[in-house]
């Protein structure tokens, strides 16, 4: 039985009405609204021949037993950022639920391989700043010592919020047990960017997630009176930072899909009557090619040192965080493209700039691929996030076909 796109869209609208308001989705992980969403999702499982449980990190696993112990996993997340959109994360869960339902009906509750649907816990990291919480625990990439002391804006510790939801932070690493017998992982997600819309394409096969280099950069100059200090002798730390902010753009544009962003700048003393003596900035660089990433980082460092010298300043760098590029499985990318072409007539390959749970699954060595569907205006993490209904319908059909192709691939392996 093919998956019903109408069922998916109806469930998405029901979830939006239940857990959103005039400002958008409010399914912040480890909060009552998120728990309400998970309870609602549980009600959708009642008429399916499945079993389910939460793992040690709070991920929900729904299992449809098959003739083979080899497992196909479909997944995404129900949590959202504050004032988020109606599709980010939840589309993948609702589409996965419908694909699971179709498989159960087609094989009278016993498919040739075992199929599991996972709702990852706290993909967004919006409350405590720890993205991919559940999937990183599953992959064995958890950071318990750092995570337990994280606090939200109200001073609540992550460890305490987890305990309220029945999760013991010291045991989250036990989630790796769920890796057993998994042969493939599939995830459907909105693009969250403008590429597909600008290309007039509805769907894409995702090549992988871009690597990230994230650094704090501090320029040191000399505070001085803005009225009495001649321009020629100023050591303006903001001037050096501003020149770097412009320079990272041509650095990124040398490469097809690379991006560089200086997203935060703080000046000290930060008053209108003083030349800036210290400027703290952050730099985020991303690309799917590790060598491109290394090149951009080196060029940005060199540029910062040059501008600092020319402005009579010094500069220091410190790493905030980094992750390597994560490539998805070549055969699954091929199958994803086939499913898209059969559904929409044309396919496209592209990298993902944002990280997703699929990245952590792939890091654990499990064959993985994602499918993207077009986002209107490239907007996400916002109440106006949207996708054309006809594109959502195509996405469900194509994703259902991808699941069928992947099951056959697992059987033949």
């Amino acid at each position: 039985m093919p998956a019903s796109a109408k069922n998916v869209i109806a469930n998405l609208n029901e979830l939006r009405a239940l857990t959103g308001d005039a400002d958008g989705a409010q399914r912040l992980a480890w909060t009552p609204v998120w728990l309400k969403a998970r309870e609602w999702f549980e009600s959708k499982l009642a008429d399916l021949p499945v079993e389910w449980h939460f793992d040690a990190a709070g991920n929900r696993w729904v299992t449809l037993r098959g003739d083979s112990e080899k497992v196909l996993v479909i997944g995404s997340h129900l949590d959202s950022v504050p004032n988020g959109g109606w599709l980010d994360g939840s589309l993948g869960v609702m589409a996965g639920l419908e694909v699971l339902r179709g498989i159960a009906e087609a094989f009278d509750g016993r498919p040739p391989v075992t199929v599991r649907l996972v709702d990852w816990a706290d993909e967004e990291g919006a409350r405590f700043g720890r993205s991919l919480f559940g999937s990183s625990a599953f992959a064995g990439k958890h950071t318990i010592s750092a995570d337990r002391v994280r606090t939200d804006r109200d001073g609540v510790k992550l460890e305490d919020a987890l305990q309220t939801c029945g999760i013991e932070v010291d045991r989250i690493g036990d989630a790796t047990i769920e890796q057993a017998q998994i042969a493939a992982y599939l995830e459907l997600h909105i693009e969250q960017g403008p590429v597909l819309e600008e290309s007039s394409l509805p769907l894409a096969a995702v090549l992988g997630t871009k690597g990230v280099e994230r650094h704090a950069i501090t320029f040191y100059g000399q505070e001085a009176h803005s009225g009495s200090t001649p321009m020629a002798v100023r050591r303006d730390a903001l001037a050096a930072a501003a020149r770097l902010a412009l320079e990272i753009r041509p650095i990124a544009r040398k490469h097809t899909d690379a991006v560089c962003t200086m997203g935060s700048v703080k000046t000290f003393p930060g008053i209108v009557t003083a030349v800036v003596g210290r400027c703290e900035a952050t730099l985020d660089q991303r690309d799917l090619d590790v060598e491109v990433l290394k090149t951009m980082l080196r060029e940005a460092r060199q540029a910062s040192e040059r501008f600092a010298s020319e402005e009579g300043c010094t500069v220091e760098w410190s790493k905030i965080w980094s992750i390597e590029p994560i490539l998805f499985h070549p055969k699954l990318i091929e199958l994803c493209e086939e499913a898209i072409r059969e559904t929409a007539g044309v396919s496209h390959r592209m990298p993902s700039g944002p990280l997703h749970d699929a990245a952590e699954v792939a890091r654990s060595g499990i064959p993985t691929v994602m499918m993207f569907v077009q986002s209107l205006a490239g907007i996400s993490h916002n109440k106006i996030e949207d996708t054309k209904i006809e594109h959502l319908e195509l996405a469900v059909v194509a994703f259902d076909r991808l699941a069928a192709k992947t099951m056959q691939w697992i059987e033949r392996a």
Side-chain angles (χ1 to χ4, degrees):
M1 297 292 291
S4 168
K6 289 184 178 179
N7 286 348
V8 173
I9 294 168
N11 282 337
L12 286 166
N13 279 317
E14 190 176 328
L15 180 62
R16 174 164 57 175
L18 180 70
T19 60
D21 57 26
D23 295 318
Q26 306 299 337
R27 297 184 301 276
L28 195 63
W30 319 116
T31 66
V33 176
W34 177 65
L35 294 176
K36 180 192 294 186
R38 298 195 113 188
E39 183 179 354
W40 169 86
F41 177 70
E42 182 180 329
S43 72
K44 298 297 178 180
L45 305 175
D47 62 343
L48 291 175
V50 298
E51 55 194 63
W52 66 267
H53 69 276
F54 291 113
D55 68 20
N59 305 306
R60 189 203 301 266
W61 295 88
V62 180
T63 302
L64 174 64
R65 297 290 176 188
D67 292 332
S68 170
E69 291 184 356
K70 293 179 181 179
V71 179
L72 166 63
V73 177
I74 301 167
S76 194
H77 60 98
L78 285 179
D79 67 291
S80 75
V81 298
N83 304 327
W86 72 301
L87 298 171
D88 181 6
S90 57
L91 170 62
V93 178
M94 293 302 102
L97 175 64
E98 186 59 25
V99 169
L100 187 70
R101 183 185 303 279
I103 292 171
E105 292 178 357
F107 294 97
D108 293 325
R110 189 74 179 184
V113 302
T114 297
V115 183
R116 305 181 78 189
L117 172 63
V118 59
D119 166 28
W120 300 109
D122 200 358
E123 190 267 2
E124 298 289 1
R127 183 177 175 190
F128 293 97
R130 198 342 176 167
S131 300
L132 310 181
F133 178 88
S135 55
S136 67
F138 161 87
K141 307 294 184 180
H142 52 82
T143 52
I144 293 173
S145 59
D147 291 340
R148 70 165 70 251
V149 295
R150 292 178 183 272
T151 58
D152 66 10
R153 62 192 304 173
D154 297 317
V156 177
K157 286 185 178 180
L158 174 55
E159 180 176 12
D160 295 335
L162 292 174
Q163 195 164 36
T164 299
C165 297
I167 306 299
E168 297 294 331
V169 70
D170 289 311
R171 293 191 58 248
I172 65 172
D174 293 347
T176 56
I177 195 173
E178 305 296 340
Q179 292 183 23
Q181 298 294 327
I182 296 178
Y185 174 79
L186 310 177
E187 184 170 335
L188 173 64
H189 208 281
I190 55 172
E191 179 197 348
Q192 299 181 283
V195 173
L196 289 176
E197 185 179 44
E198 290 178 353
S199 302
S200 298
L201 295 168
L203 303 168
V206 183
L207 296 169
T209 58
K210 294 179 180 179
V212 181
E213 285 285 350
R214 194 170 295 161
H215 289 79
I217 309 168
T218 303
F219 291 90
Y220 296 94
Q222 177 62 60
E223 295 178 14
H225 196 289
S226 62
S228 60
T229 308
M231 299 301 292
V233 299
R234 293 186 178 201
R235 297 169 55 202
D236 189 337
L238 177 58
R243 293 177 67 181
L244 179 63
L246 295 176
E247 184 66 15
I248 62 171
R249 299 166 72 185
I251 287 174
R253 286 172 178 164
K254 294 177 186 178
H255 313 283
T256 303
D257 291 309
V259 291
C260 295
T261 306
M262 190 176 284
S264 172
V265 176
K266 297 179 182 179
T267 62
F268 301 86
I271 58 175
V272 71
T273 55
V275 175
V276 174
R278 183 171 93 252
C279 183
E280 298 176 353
T282 57
L283 178 63
D284 182 292
Q285 298 177 297
R286 306 188 188 210
D287 196 78
L288 193 61
D289 187 316
V290 68
E291 293 303 320
V292 168
L293 204 55
K294 289 178 181 178
T295 298
M296 292 197 303
L297 177 59
R298 183 182 66 251
E299 291 181 353
R301 281 183 177 273
Q302 292 171 344
S304 72
E305 291 164 359
R306 183 172 71 253
F307 297 142
S309 176
E310 291 173 357
E311 297 295 337
C313 300
T314 59
V315 62
E316 292 181 358
W317 285 61
S318 63
K319 177 177 283 191
I320 298 174
W321 178 74
S322 67
I323 189 171
E324 71 277 12
I326 299 168
L327 302 178
F328 292 153
H329 195 276
K331 181 59 179 179
L332 292 183
I333 293 171
E334 179 185 320
L335 294 179
C336 188
E337 279 205 295
E338 285 181 10
I340 291 172
R341 281 195 299 269
E342 291 170 5
T343 305
V346 62
S347 186
H348 179 68
R349 292 187 175 198
M350 65 181 296
S352 173
L355 290 169
H356 296 279
D357 293 309
E360 291 289 6
V361 178
R363 287 178 84 190
S364 70
I366 294 169
T368 297
V369 76
M370 293 186 71
M371 181 184 292
F372 275 170
V373 62
Q374 184 190 118
S375 292
L376 292 176
I379 299 296
S380 184
H381 285 193
N382 188 295
K383 68 177 181 180
I384 67 170
E385 169 188 284
D386 208 1
T387 294
K388 293 178 181 178
I389 294 299
E390 56 264 36
H391 288 169
L392 291 176
E393 292 172 344
L394 286 174
V396 173
V397 173
F399 194 65
D400 190 35
R401 288 186 175 183
L402 172 59
K405 292 174 183 290
T406 305
M407 288 173 62
Q408 293 172 359
W409 177 68
I410 293 172
E411 282 186 271
R412 292 194 297 265

PDB file of all heavy atoms in Angstrom, residues 232-246:
ATOM      1  N   ALA A 232      44.771  58.776  11.740  1.00  0.00           N
ATOM      2  CA  ALA A 232      46.011  58.138  11.290  1.00  0.00           C
ATOM      3  C   ALA A 232      46.696  57.328  12.386  1.00  0.00           C
ATOM      4  O   ALA A 232      47.503  56.445  12.081  1.00  0.00           O
ATOM      5  CB  ALA A 232      46.973  59.190  10.744  1.00  0.00           C
ATOM      6  N   VAL A 233      46.396  57.610  13.656  1.00  0.00           N
ATOM      7  CA  VAL A 233      47.108  56.920  14.733  1.00  0.00           C
ATOM      8  C   VAL A 233      46.196  55.971  15.522  1.00  0.00           C
ATOM      9  O   VAL A 233      46.618  55.402  16.511  1.00  0.00           O
ATOM     10  CB  VAL A 233      47.764  57.926  15.700  1.00  0.00           C
ATOM     11  CG1 VAL A 233      48.780  58.795  14.957  1.00  0.00           C
ATOM     12  CG2 VAL A 233      46.704  58.792  16.389  1.00  0.00           C
ATOM     13  N   ARG A 234      44.995  55.804  15.062  1.00  0.00           N
ATOM     14  CA  ARG A 234      44.078  54.927  15.780  1.00  0.00           C
ATOM     15  C   ARG A 234      44.454  53.454  15.610  1.00  0.00           C
ATOM     16  O   ARG A 234      44.915  53.035  14.552  1.00  0.00           O
ATOM     17  CB  ARG A 234      42.641  55.130  15.277  1.00  0.00           C
ATOM     18  CG  ARG A 234      42.079  56.496  15.604  1.00  0.00           C
ATOM     19  CD  ARG A 234      40.633  56.610  15.221  1.00  0.00           C
ATOM     20  NE  ARG A 234      40.105  57.921  15.601  1.00  0.00           N
ATOM     21  CZ  ARG A 234      38.825  58.190  15.767  1.00  0.00           C
ATOM     22  NH1 ARG A 234      37.927  57.246  15.582  1.00  0.00           N
ATOM     23  NH2 ARG A 234      38.447  59.404  16.110  1.00  0.00           N
ATOM     24  N   ARG A 235      44.253  52.698  16.686  1.00  0.00           N
ATOM     25  CA  ARG A 235      44.410  51.243  16.652  1.00  0.00           C
ATOM     26  C   ARG A 235      43.023  50.646  16.937  1.00  0.00           C
ATOM     27  O   ARG A 235      42.717  50.244  18.063  1.00  0.00           O
ATOM     28  CB  ARG A 235      45.445  50.800  17.673  1.00  0.00           C
ATOM     29  CG  ARG A 235      46.853  51.353  17.398  1.00  0.00           C
ATOM     30  CD  ARG A 235      47.774  51.099  18.578  1.00  0.00           C
ATOM     31  NE  ARG A 235      47.787  49.655  18.921  1.00  0.00           N
ATOM     32  CZ  ARG A 235      48.147  49.203  20.121  1.00  0.00           C
ATOM     33  NH1 ARG A 235      48.482  50.061  21.096  1.00  0.00           N
ATOM     34  NH2 ARG A 235      48.162  47.905  20.345  1.00  0.00           N
ATOM     35  N   ASP A 236      42.206  50.673  15.905  1.00  0.00           N
ATOM     36  CA  ASP A 236      40.778  50.370  16.035  1.00  0.00           C
ATOM     37  C   ASP A 236      40.527  48.872  15.802  1.00  0.00           C
ATOM     38  O   ASP A 236      40.619  48.370  14.676  1.00  0.00           O
ATOM     39  CB  ASP A 236      40.005  51.204  15.011  1.00  0.00           C
ATOM     40  CG  ASP A 236      38.499  51.134  15.204  1.00  0.00           C
ATOM     41  OD1 ASP A 236      38.011  50.148  15.798  1.00  0.00           O
ATOM     42  OD2 ASP A 236      37.805  52.068  14.753  1.00  0.00           O
ATOM     43  N   ALA A 237      40.205  48.174  16.871  1.00  0.00           N
ATOM     44  CA  ALA A 237      39.990  46.726  16.766  1.00  0.00           C
ATOM     45  C   ALA A 237      38.772  46.391  15.911  1.00  0.00           C
ATOM     46  O   ALA A 237      38.753  45.367  15.209  1.00  0.00           O
ATOM     47  CB  ALA A 237      39.814  46.131  18.161  1.00  0.00           C
ATOM     48  N   LEU A 238      37.754  47.255  15.942  1.00  0.00           N
ATOM     49  CA  LEU A 238      36.574  47.011  15.120  1.00  0.00           C
ATOM     50  C   LEU A 238      36.897  47.141  13.641  1.00  0.00           C
ATOM     51  O   LEU A 238      36.356  46.398  12.816  1.00  0.00           O
ATOM     52  CB  LEU A 238      35.451  47.976  15.502  1.00  0.00           C
ATOM     53  CG  LEU A 238      34.169  47.883  14.660  1.00  0.00           C
ATOM     54  CD1 LEU A 238      33.586  46.473  14.718  1.00  0.00           C
ATOM     55  CD2 LEU A 238      33.150  48.917  15.120  1.00  0.00           C
ATOM     56  N   ALA A 239      37.767  48.055  13.286  1.00  0.00           N
ATOM     57  CA  ALA A 239      38.141  48.217  11.880  1.00  0.00           C
ATOM     58  C   ALA A 239      38.764  46.936  11.336  1.00  0.00           C
ATOM     59  O   ALA A 239      38.453  46.501  10.213  1.00  0.00           O
ATOM     60  CB  ALA A 239      39.113  49.382  11.729  1.00  0.00           C
ATOM     61  N   ALA A 240      39.639  46.318  12.121  1.00  0.00           N
ATOM     62  CA  ALA A 240      40.252  45.064  11.687  1.00  0.00           C
ATOM     63  C   ALA A 240      39.208  43.964  11.548  1.00  0.00           C
ATOM     64  O   ALA A 240      39.206  43.194  10.573  1.00  0.00           O
ATOM     65  CB  ALA A 240      41.338  44.653  12.675  1.00  0.00           C
ATOM     66  N   ALA A 241      38.289  43.875  12.519  1.00  0.00           N
ATOM     67  CA  ALA A 241      37.236  42.857  12.465  1.00  0.00           C
ATOM     68  C   ALA A 241      36.303  43.090  11.279  1.00  0.00           C
ATOM     69  O   ALA A 241      35.879  42.134  10.609  1.00  0.00           O
ATOM     70  CB  ALA A 241      36.448  42.860  13.770  1.00  0.00           C
ATOM     71  N   ALA A 242      35.987  44.352  11.016  1.00  0.00           N
ATOM     72  CA  ALA A 242      35.086  44.670   9.909  1.00  0.00           C
ATOM     73  C   ALA A 242      35.703  44.271   8.571  1.00  0.00           C
ATOM     74  O   ALA A 242      35.008  43.775   7.671  1.00  0.00           O
ATOM     75  CB  ALA A 242      34.756  46.160   9.922  1.00  0.00           C
ATOM     76  N   ARG A 243      36.987  44.476   8.428  1.00  0.00           N
ATOM     77  CA  ARG A 243      37.664  44.092   7.190  1.00  0.00           C
ATOM     78  C   ARG A 243      37.641  42.573   7.015  1.00  0.00           C
ATOM     79  O   ARG A 243      37.457  42.066   5.909  1.00  0.00           O
ATOM     80  CB  ARG A 243      39.093  44.631   7.181  1.00  0.00           C
ATOM     81  CG  ARG A 243      39.147  46.154   7.107  1.00  0.00           C
ATOM     82  CD  ARG A 243      40.572  46.667   7.174  1.00  0.00           C
ATOM     83  NE  ARG A 243      41.344  46.294   5.983  1.00  0.00           N
ATOM     84  CZ  ARG A 243      42.627  46.603   5.794  1.00  0.00           C
ATOM     85  NH1 ARG A 243      43.287  47.279   6.748  1.00  0.00           N
ATOM     86  NH2 ARG A 243      43.257  46.238   4.697  1.00  0.00           N
ATOM     87  N   LEU A 244      37.781  41.833   8.118  1.00  0.00           N
ATOM     88  CA  LEU A 244      37.706  40.380   8.023  1.00  0.00           C
ATOM     89  C   LEU A 244      36.287  39.937   7.659  1.00  0.00           C
ATOM     90  O   LEU A 244      36.105  39.007   6.856  1.00  0.00           O
ATOM     91  CB  LEU A 244      38.120  39.732   9.349  1.00  0.00           C
ATOM     92  CG  LEU A 244      38.055  38.202   9.372  1.00  0.00           C
ATOM     93  CD1 LEU A 244      39.024  37.603   8.355  1.00  0.00           C
ATOM     94  CD2 LEU A 244      38.342  37.655  10.769  1.00  0.00           C
ATOM     95  N   ALA A 245      35.289  40.597   8.212  1.00  0.00           N
ATOM     96  CA  ALA A 245      33.894  40.240   7.922  1.00  0.00           C
ATOM     97  C   ALA A 245      33.594  40.351   6.430  1.00  0.00           C
ATOM     98  O   ALA A 245      32.814  39.552   5.880  1.00  0.00           O
ATOM     99  CB  ALA A 245      32.949  41.135   8.720  1.00  0.00           C
ATOM    100  N   LEU A 246      34.220  41.313   5.772  1.00  0.00           N
ATOM    101  CA  LEU A 246      34.040  41.449   4.324  1.00  0.00           C
ATOM    102  C   LEU A 246      34.898  40.454   3.556  1.00  0.00           C
ATOM    103  O   LEU A 246      34.493  39.952   2.508  1.00  0.00           O
ATOM    104  CB  LEU A 246      34.368  42.877   3.886  1.00  0.00           C
ATOM    105  CG  LEU A 246      33.440  43.971   4.423  1.00  0.00           C
ATOM    106  CD1 LEU A 246      33.933  45.337   3.985  1.00  0.00           C
ATOM    107  CD2 LEU A 246      32.009  43.749   3.943  1.00  0.00           C
TER     108      LEU A 246
END
